[in-house]
């Protein structure tokens, strides 16, 4: 991405809760595949979320699929070609008191994370190291004498409290080992 020339790579997510990232081309390919499988949803509206850069568009992409076919009022479920179950309900026969009812749902595809356990562990450790270090620096900037230390030490024990790290059932020795294997310097204190 031209806006982020120092981005670590395609396996890195822009936000901690992202499961995958798609380029504009990957997103449009996915949309094209949906329309090919379901031509009755061929009326599209592309949009975005977040600040829109004039040259690059919005940070996050969205598409709205509009139904343009003839509704046949099917009930039940069908299997799509990617093994997702699609539920279809006839909204005319819905006995719910609600003004809203689900007429169609689709399980979004996701990219499978093929990174090794070690690579995933390094990513989680570094995310929390950066968050803790940033918090400490901000705290130093808010409190007297308003000076920021040259280094901030984050102990491995502090990282183990985070669910995304503890799920690896790791320990300080392994954490240090995977970080050093990834060419990340660790101090004797950390």
């Amino acid at each position: 991405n031209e806006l982020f020339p120092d981005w670590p790579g395609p396996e890195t997510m822009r936000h901690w809760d992202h499961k995958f990232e798609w380029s504009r081309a990957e997103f449009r390919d996915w949309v094209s595949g949906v329309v090919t499988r379901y031509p009755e949803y061929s009326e599209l509206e592309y949009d975005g979320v977040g600040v829109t850069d004039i040259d690059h568009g919005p940070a996050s992409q969205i598409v709205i699929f509009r139904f343009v076919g003839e509704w046949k009022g099917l009930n039940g479920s069908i299997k799509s070609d990617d093994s997702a179950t699609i539920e279809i309900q006839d909204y005319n026969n819905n006995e719910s008191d609600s003004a809203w009812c689900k007429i169609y749902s689709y399980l979004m595809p996701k990219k499978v994370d093929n990174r090794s356990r070690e690579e995933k562990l390094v990513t989680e450790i570094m995310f929390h190291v950066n968050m803790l270090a940033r918090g400490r620096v901000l705290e130093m900037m808010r409190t007297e004498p308003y000076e920021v230390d040259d280094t901030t030490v984050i102990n491995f024990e502090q990282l183990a409290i985070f669910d995304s790290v503890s799920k690896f059932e790791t320990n300080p020795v392994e954490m240090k080992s995977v970080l050093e294997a990834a060419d990340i310097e660790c101090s004797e204190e950390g």
Side-chain angles (χ1 to χ4, degrees):
N1 186 323
E2 295 172 12
L3 297 177
F4 304 99
D6 297 328
W7 197 257
E11 70 284 346
T12 305
M13 304 299 145
R14 292 180 297 132
H15 194 266
W16 66 268
D17 71 343
H18 289 191
K19 303 300 181 216
F20 60 90
E21 301 281 350
W22 276 345
S23 68
R24 303 238 186 272
E26 289 173 312
F27 181 66
R28 288 191 182 273
D29 286 347
W30 175 78
V31 169
S32 177
V34 170
V35 170
T36 299
R37 286 190 307 268
Y38 309 102
E40 64 275 16
Y41 287 91
S42 60
E43 186 178 312
L44 307 173
E45 180 183 336
Y46 286 94
D47 206 341
V49 178
V51 176
T52 300
D53 179 81
I54 290 177
D55 296 324
H56 298 92
S60 295
Q61 311 165 82
I62 64 170
V63 65
I64 299 169
F65 295 91
R66 287 201 173 77
F67 182 76
V68 295
E70 181 180 330
W71 184 254
K72 297 182 178 145
L74 298 172
N75 283 318
S77 65
I78 58 174
K79 279 290 214 191
S80 72
D81 58 349
D82 60 359
S83 300
T85 300
I86 301 171
E87 297 291 334
I88 301 176
Q89 298 174 348
D90 183 352
Y91 63 89
N92 293 321
N93 296 326
N94 188 358
E95 297 180 15
S96 169
D97 292 335
S98 171
W100 296 92
C101 67
K102 177 174 71 173
I103 58 170
Y104 188 89
S105 73
Y106 181 76
L107 178 63
M108 295 289 290
K110 68 174 187 161
K111 286 187 177 179
V112 176
D113 188 351
N114 292 320
R115 295 176 298 157
S116 69
R117 177 184 183 281
E118 290 77 14
E119 292 169 318
K120 292 175 186 178
L121 181 56
V122 166
T123 300
E124 292 303 322
I125 291 171
M126 292 310 298
F127 172 81
H128 292 294
V129 163
N130 287 320
M131 295 301 290
L132 289 169
R134 186 176 298 124
R136 286 191 187 164
V137 167
L138 290 173
E139 184 62 28
M140 286 185 252
M141 293 169 61
R142 285 192 297 255
T143 57
E144 289 188 32
Y146 307 110
E147 294 175 0
V148 177
D149 295 337
D150 290 338
T151 59
T152 301
V153 176
I154 306 296
N155 295 316
F156 292 118
E157 289 79 13
Q158 293 171 282
L159 298 169
I161 66 168
F162 295 102
D163 289 342
S164 62
V165 174
S166 67
K167 73 179 180 185
F168 287 96
E169 298 179 0
T170 187
N171 58 56
V173 173
E174 182 190 23
M175 284 191 257
K176 184 174 183 178
S177 173
V178 297
L179 289 173
E180 289 174 342
D183 293 326
I184 298 169
E185 187 178 329
C186 298
S187 70
E188 292 303 317
E189 305 161 55

